[in-house]
PDB file of all heavy atoms in Angstrom:
ATOM      1  N   VAL A 322      -2.045  -0.846  -8.399  1.00 96.00           N
ATOM      2  CA  VAL A 322      -1.417  -0.584  -7.103  1.00 96.00           C
ATOM      3  C   VAL A 322      -2.405   0.114  -6.177  1.00 96.00           C
ATOM      4  O   VAL A 322      -3.003   1.135  -6.542  1.00 96.00           O
ATOM      5  CB  VAL A 322      -0.158   0.291  -7.268  1.00 96.00           C
ATOM      6  CG1 VAL A 322       0.463   0.591  -5.920  1.00 96.00           C
ATOM      7  CG2 VAL A 322       0.848  -0.401  -8.181  1.00 96.00           C
ATOM      8  N   LYS A 334       2.559   7.782   9.675  1.00 95.00           N
ATOM      9  CA  LYS A 334       3.240   6.816  10.540  1.00 95.00           C
ATOM     10  C   LYS A 334       2.887   5.376  10.183  1.00 95.00           C
ATOM     11  O   LYS A 334       3.652   4.461  10.485  1.00 95.00           O
ATOM     12  CB  LYS A 334       2.890   7.086  12.007  1.00 95.00           C
ATOM     13  CG  LYS A 334       3.496   8.370  12.561  1.00 95.00           C
ATOM     14  CD  LYS A 334       3.052   8.633  13.987  1.00 95.00           C
ATOM     15  CE  LYS A 334       3.617   9.937  14.518  1.00 95.00           C
ATOM     16  NZ  LYS A 334       3.144  10.245  15.897  1.00 95.00           N
ATOM     17  N   ASN A 386      18.112  20.527  -0.752  1.00 98.00           N
ATOM     18  CA  ASN A 386      18.516  21.517   0.265  1.00 98.00           C
ATOM     19  C   ASN A 386      17.717  22.804   0.169  1.00 98.00           C
ATOM     20  O   ASN A 386      17.491  23.477   1.178  1.00 98.00           O
ATOM     21  CB  ASN A 386      20.006  21.837   0.114  1.00 98.00           C
ATOM     22  CG  ASN A 386      20.873  20.617   0.343  1.00 98.00           C
ATOM     23  OD1 ASN A 386      20.556  19.761   1.164  1.00 98.00           O
ATOM     24  ND2 ASN A 386      21.980  20.529  -0.389  1.00 98.00           N
ATOM     25  N   GLY A 391      12.709  30.163  -3.531  1.00 95.00           N
ATOM     26  CA  GLY A 391      12.367  30.625  -2.194  1.00 95.00           C
ATOM     27  C   GLY A 391      13.584  30.821  -1.329  1.00 95.00           C
ATOM     28  O   GLY A 391      14.732  30.760  -1.780  1.00 95.00           O
ATOM     29  N   LEU A 412      13.133  28.676 -26.095  1.00 87.00           N
ATOM     30  CA  LEU A 412      12.733  27.832 -24.968  1.00 87.00           C
ATOM     31  C   LEU A 412      11.961  28.659 -23.943  1.00 87.00           C
ATOM     32  O   LEU A 412      12.529  29.510 -23.270  1.00 87.00           O
ATOM     33  CB  LEU A 412      13.970  27.204 -24.320  1.00 87.00           C
ATOM     34  CG  LEU A 412      14.804  26.302 -25.218  1.00 87.00           C
ATOM     35  CD1 LEU A 412      16.087  25.890 -24.512  1.00 87.00           C
ATOM     36  CD2 LEU A 412      14.012  25.067 -25.646  1.00 87.00           C
ATOM     37  N   PRO A 415       7.436  28.261 -18.099  1.00 94.00           N
ATOM     38  CA  PRO A 415       7.896  26.935 -17.683  1.00 94.00           C
ATOM     39  C   PRO A 415       8.137  25.975 -18.839  1.00 94.00           C
ATOM     40  O   PRO A 415       7.603  26.140 -19.928  1.00 94.00           O
ATOM     41  CB  PRO A 415       6.750  26.435 -16.799  1.00 94.00           C
ATOM     42  CG  PRO A 415       5.540  27.135 -17.320  1.00 94.00           C
ATOM     43  CD  PRO A 415       6.016  28.498 -17.721  1.00 94.00           C
ATOM     44  N   GLY A 435      12.962   1.526 -20.998  1.00 78.00           N
ATOM     45  CA  GLY A 435      13.276   1.462 -22.418  1.00 78.00           C
ATOM     46  C   GLY A 435      13.905   2.751 -22.918  1.00 78.00           C
ATOM     47  O   GLY A 435      13.755   3.816 -22.314  1.00 78.00           O
ATOM     48  N   VAL A 450      21.932  17.723  -8.759  1.00 98.00           N
ATOM     49  CA  VAL A 450      22.476  17.035  -7.581  1.00 98.00           C
ATOM     50  C   VAL A 450      23.954  17.363  -7.423  1.00 98.00           C
ATOM     51  O   VAL A 450      24.672  17.604  -8.398  1.00 98.00           O
ATOM     52  CB  VAL A 450      22.280  15.510  -7.682  1.00 98.00           C
ATOM     53  CG1 VAL A 450      20.801  15.151  -7.652  1.00 98.00           C
ATOM     54  CG2 VAL A 450      22.952  14.947  -8.927  1.00 98.00           C
ATOM     55  N   ALA A 451      24.411  17.383  -6.164  1.00 98.00           N
ATOM     56  CA  ALA A 451      25.829  17.638  -5.884  1.00 98.00           C
ATOM     57  C   ALA A 451      26.676  16.409  -6.191  1.00 98.00           C
ATOM     58  O   ALA A 451      27.803  16.533  -6.672  1.00 98.00           O
ATOM     59  CB  ALA A 451      26.003  18.053  -4.425  1.00 98.00           C
ATOM     60  N   ASP A 452      26.131  15.234  -5.932  1.00 98.00           N
ATOM     61  CA  ASP A 452      26.842  13.976  -6.160  1.00 98.00           C
ATOM     62  C   ASP A 452      26.255  13.297  -7.392  1.00 98.00           C
ATOM     63  O   ASP A 452      25.066  12.937  -7.396  1.00 98.00           O
ATOM     64  CB  ASP A 452      26.691  13.076  -4.935  1.00 98.00           C
ATOM     65  CG  ASP A 452      27.430  11.750  -5.073  1.00 98.00           C
ATOM     66  OD1 ASP A 452      28.013  11.499  -6.152  1.00 98.00           O
ATOM     67  OD2 ASP A 452      27.416  10.967  -4.107  1.00 98.00           O
ATOM     68  N   ASN A 471      17.941   9.895  -6.770  1.00 98.00           N
ATOM     69  CA  ASN A 471      17.816   8.814  -5.786  1.00 98.00           C
ATOM     70  C   ASN A 471      18.994   8.828  -4.829  1.00 98.00           C
ATOM     71  O   ASN A 471      20.139   9.009  -5.222  1.00 98.00           O
ATOM     72  CB  ASN A 471      17.737   7.460  -6.499  1.00 98.00           C
ATOM     73  CG  ASN A 471      18.006   6.288  -5.577  1.00 98.00           C
ATOM     74  OD1 ASN A 471      18.905   5.497  -5.828  1.00 98.00           O
ATOM     75  ND2 ASN A 471      17.261   6.167  -4.495  1.00 98.00           N
ATOM     76  N   PRO A 482       4.611  11.574 -13.518  1.00 97.00           N
ATOM     77  CA  PRO A 482       4.291  10.221 -14.000  1.00 97.00           C
ATOM     78  C   PRO A 482       2.791  10.005 -14.155  1.00 97.00           C
ATOM     79  O   PRO A 482       2.360   9.236 -15.023  1.00 97.00           O
ATOM     80  CB  PRO A 482       4.898   9.299 -12.933  1.00 97.00           C
ATOM     81  CG  PRO A 482       5.085  10.158 -11.725  1.00 97.00           C
ATOM     82  CD  PRO A 482       5.326  11.535 -12.230  1.00 97.00           C
ATOM     83  N   PHE A 488       4.455   5.258 -19.844  1.00 96.00           N
ATOM     84  CA  PHE A 488       5.761   5.430 -19.215  1.00 96.00           C
ATOM     85  C   PHE A 488       5.594   5.780 -17.732  1.00 96.00           C
ATOM     86  O   PHE A 488       6.312   5.272 -16.879  1.00 96.00           O
ATOM     87  CB  PHE A 488       6.550   6.527 -19.937  1.00 96.00           C
ATOM     88  CG  PHE A 488       6.778   6.239 -21.383  1.00 96.00           C
ATOM     89  CD1 PHE A 488       6.096   6.936 -22.362  1.00 96.00           C
ATOM     90  CD2 PHE A 488       7.663   5.244 -21.784  1.00 96.00           C
ATOM     91  CE1 PHE A 488       6.294   6.678 -23.705  1.00 96.00           C
ATOM     92  CE2 PHE A 488       7.880   4.967 -23.123  1.00 96.00           C
ATOM     93  CZ  PHE A 488       7.182   5.688 -24.094  1.00 96.00           C
ATOM     94  N   ALA A 495       7.030   0.445 -10.878  1.00 97.00           N
ATOM     95  CA  ALA A 495       8.369   0.079 -10.434  1.00 97.00           C
ATOM     96  C   ALA A 495       8.626   0.589  -9.011  1.00 97.00           C
ATOM     97  O   ALA A 495       9.243  -0.104  -8.203  1.00 97.00           O
ATOM     98  CB  ALA A 495       9.416   0.645 -11.395  1.00 97.00           C
TER      99      ALA A 495
END
Side-chain angles (χ1 to χ4, degrees):
V322 178
K334 290 177 182 177
N386 298 326
L412 299 173
V450 295
D452 181 357
N471 163 237
F488 301 107

